[in-house]
Amino acid sequence: MNGSLNAQSLAWGRTENNIRALAAYAAARKAEIGPEKVFDFSIGSPSVPPPKCVEEAFRAVLAETDGVELHAYTPAPGLPSLRRAIARQLSERSAAPFDWRQIYVTMGASAGLASFCRAVLLPGEKAVAFAPYFMEYRVFAEAAGGSLVTVPPLGDMQPDLDALASLLDEKVKLVIVNSPNNPSGAALTEASLRRLAALLSDAGRRYGHPIYLLSDEPYRELLFDGRRPLCAADYYDDTVLCYSYSKSLSLPGERIGYLAVSGRMRDAEAVFDAIAGAARACGYINAPSLVQRVVERCLDATAELDVYAENRDLLYGALCSLGFMCIYPDGAFYLFVKSPIPDAVAFSERAKRFELILVPSDDFGVTGYVRLAYCVPREMIERSMAAFAALAKEFGLRAAGD
Amino acid sequence: MNGSLNAQSLAWGRTENNIRALAAYAAARKAEIGPEKVFDFSIGSPSVPPPKCVEEAFRAVLAETDGVELHAYTPAPGLPSLRRAIARQLSERSAAPFDWRQIYVTMGASAGLASFCRAVLLPGEKAVAFAPYFMEYRVFAEAAGGSLVTVPPLGDMQPDLDALASLLDEKVKLVIVNSPNNPSGAALTEASLRRLAALLSDAGRRYGHPIYLLSDEPYRELLFDGRRPLCAADYYDDTVLCYSYSKSLSLPGERIGYLAVSGRMRDAEAVFDAIAGAARACGYINAPSLVQRVVERCLDATAELDVYAENRDLLYGALCSLGFMCIYPDGAFYLFVKSPIPDAVAFSERAKRFELILVPSDDFGVTGYVRLAYCVPREMIERSMAAFAALAKEFGLRAAGD
């Protein structure tokens, strides 16, 4: 009977999500041998609680707001007060202006990505992403009737812009960047951003239509070593920012974020309207009303993100000194480690023998790496050291100084 | 430049939503002449607060649950404990069984409707709805690559099943019912449901594939005069229930509801997987995690829905006695009133002169009626009486007993 269902939907519903499968394996294993004996680096879900501000805002909003008003529908693009506050904040952080009427509050970054793909892609058109990339980009581009083309990374996980230049044809409508990057932790440099902007401007002129730059930046505030986030809209006019409060406020389950259309975009109003239509077509009504109010009160707050930088230092240092080759993470909360054998899936399987749960990079569009999510308690990282040492030995890695 | 955007998304984003436009007009008019002088029957947003249980659950869940756990991602189809509780509740209320593994917690009914259309429709296939109907059905069917075919109502706003029988062809994959109905307030009778089931079974056998019945029932608990809701799954095996807590718990802005696949459906597991894939393609990650926990604690509670029955009695009685022809509402919180002139849009415009904000039925796929949402304070209905009397006089209606 399955032949009568939508085959694409069925396939997407049945695709094994390796990360969730590994997390489920880890949970089962913890139940079997004890939680302290399993080192689960699979899931990118914040390990630090939301800031005090969020806790207080939930209480205050619930206490102070009339129940009917609090839980009523909001306008589809979000409460005007929240949209104004977001526009103000973005305008302060960037040279490009942001008009609150072109801020669309979404149910998290995924809703924004899916809506934007559907807003701009025509059937047969292409979105481009730089590997390694969030696997759902492909689903969102294909669900919009388009396709995803990917650019393999340079060795340091920076985008290969020469490769991009060679594949920009008239069918490319959209380029997605994700900085700091999941899964590599690498951040886009200013030089890369400038060159990217120049390439897209040239191609847009050549083909007579804008090529939109979608900057997927849920990890914007998770940038270490004193680096300040760059705003893609400062470098390229046809930019849309896609943000989520999942990581900065540790609210992944509450589903809140936004799309912000640069005020410098020539067709900003039309792009906003197309986003609204795309969101409507997906059944989005409004982002959760209570959480909209909470976020509005905590716009400048973040969870204790320093914890992630400390975890990075600990894990990066330890794994390098065991002989693993790691990409130095500029931000986010992932460490990208080169597999000592070409087959990262096989390496991830071998790591399980040491109770180490690592995600093979194949799911992110590159081979030969594993991703370690270090949004975990520091103690777990410390306890995992012996297991990593044994894993290094198993693969004949030479510790520094050996 | 707009030619380079997705034209369908742009059109959906730019379609004036008459209900929202009328509500905006009402808000502006209130600011102008005073809120007590405008009688706004435009918006179907609950006027009674959520039950105490909800208020307490928000507080308790926030106080009792660890912040990281509380706001973490939940599984995409929802928390297992919530899904189990929903399945238990449905199984108690209906003869058909519901398996918790085939309950998909959605971000409200719209998310469920959009996902289900995308789960089952193939390009070129049809969904059928009975007019008057929720206008977004068309958007969701078309966004899934299909189309919406509508069946005009009988005079009492019951579905015309003879008309349905004549248009069931091999391209029809899905029939949507909405009882009690927005905008007419009419509830499906058991006889209609039985005949509908027989028609769909016959057609399914004829064409060699199931025709799914999607029962859109956010007003299930808003059924008056002691009537008990019928469960469509008791009458037809290939049924999926689409529910929302927006009305029963007065939580429209929080976006929570579910799709429940009948345990009697032959391909229940595949249908569930296709729903999961469709939701994934739209960028849905999970329904808001805090609200999932709140709803789980209030599954058997409702807001004070009696208020709506009282409003119905007051408004229906008053308008009938002024000479208006009204459909007797079995439930929901809408009164469907025949326009005294064929053009309901013109009638709605004329009503504005008396500060009465009424939605023309054209938006719901039928002509010649207006919808009055009576989820409003009782005092507003009382204050509106003189305006309705003047409107009746304007159109030469004869009051009962005149």
Side-chain angles (χ1 to χ4, degrees), chain A residues 120-122 125-126 171-174 209-212, chain B residues 4:
Chain A
V120 303
L121 288 178
L122 301 172
E125 288 187 338
K126 298 185 266 192
K171 288 289 182 192
V172 173
K173 179 66 76 61
L174 167 66
H209 64 78
I211 299 175
Y212 299 102
Chain B
S4 76

Side-chain angles (χ1 to χ4, degrees), chain B residues 354-366:
Chain B
F354 304 92
E355 312 303 346
L356 290 164
I357 316 299
L358 320 175
V359 178
S361 61
D362 303 63
D363 281 339
F364 303 102
V366 295

Side-chain angles (χ1 to χ4, degrees), chain A residues 1-15 17 20 43-50 54-55 58-59 62 66-68 70-77 107 110-111 114-115 117-123 125 134-136 139-140 143-144 173 208-210 212 246-247 250-255 266-267 269-271 273-291, chain B residues 1-15 17 20 43-50 54-55 58-59 62 66-68 70-76 107 110-111 114-115 117-123 125 134-136 139-140 143-144 173 208-210 212 246-247 250-255 266-267 269-271 273-292:
Chain A
M1 302 303 294
N2 304 354
S4 75
L5 296 169
N6 184 298
Q8 201 181 35
S9 292
L10 189 60
W12 282 328
R14 287 187 167 169
T15 312
N17 178 326
R20 295 233 172 187
I43 284 269
S45 194
S47 56
V48 299
V54 164
E55 217 175 287
F58 269 115
R59 269 199 296 268
L62 282 164
D66 166 72
V68 170
L70 174 55
H71 303 296
Y73 297 111
T74 75
M107 292 195 174
S110 285
S115 297
C117 285
R118 188 173 293 274
V120 303
L121 288 178
L122 301 172
E125 288 187 338
F134 178 43
M135 62 191 96
E136 298 304 277
V139 175
F140 300 151
K173 179 66 76 61
H209 64 78
Y212 299 102
S246 293
K247 322 297 176 181
S250 290
L251 290 173
E254 305 300 349
R255 312 313 306 141
R266 278 161 301 176
D267 54 350
E269 282 178 45
V271 168
D273 289 345
I275 289 168
R280 178 183 176 192
C282 286
Y284 288 101
I285 299 293
N286 57 245
S289 49
L290 166 61
V291 178
Chain B
M1 304 301 295
N2 304 353
S4 76
L5 296 169
N6 184 298
Q8 201 181 35
S9 292
L10 189 60
W12 282 327
R14 286 187 167 168
T15 312
N17 178 325
R20 295 234 172 185
I43 284 268
S45 195
S47 57
V48 299
V54 164
E55 216 175 285
F58 269 116
R59 269 200 296 268
L62 282 164
D66 166 74
V68 170
L70 174 55
H71 304 296
Y73 297 111
T74 75
M107 291 196 173
S110 284
S115 298
C117 285
R118 190 173 292 275
V120 303
L121 288 178
L122 302 172
E125 289 188 337
F134 178 45
M135 63 192 93
E136 298 304 276
V139 176
F140 300 151
K173 178 65 76 61
H209 64 78
Y212 298 103
S246 293
K247 321 297 177 180
S250 289
L251 290 173
E254 304 302 349
R255 314 310 306 140
R266 276 162 302 176
D267 54 350
E269 281 176 46
V271 167
D273 289 344
I275 290 168
R280 178 183 176 192
C282 285
Y284 288 102
I285 299 294
N286 57 246
S289 49
L290 167 62
V291 178
Q292 285 192 49

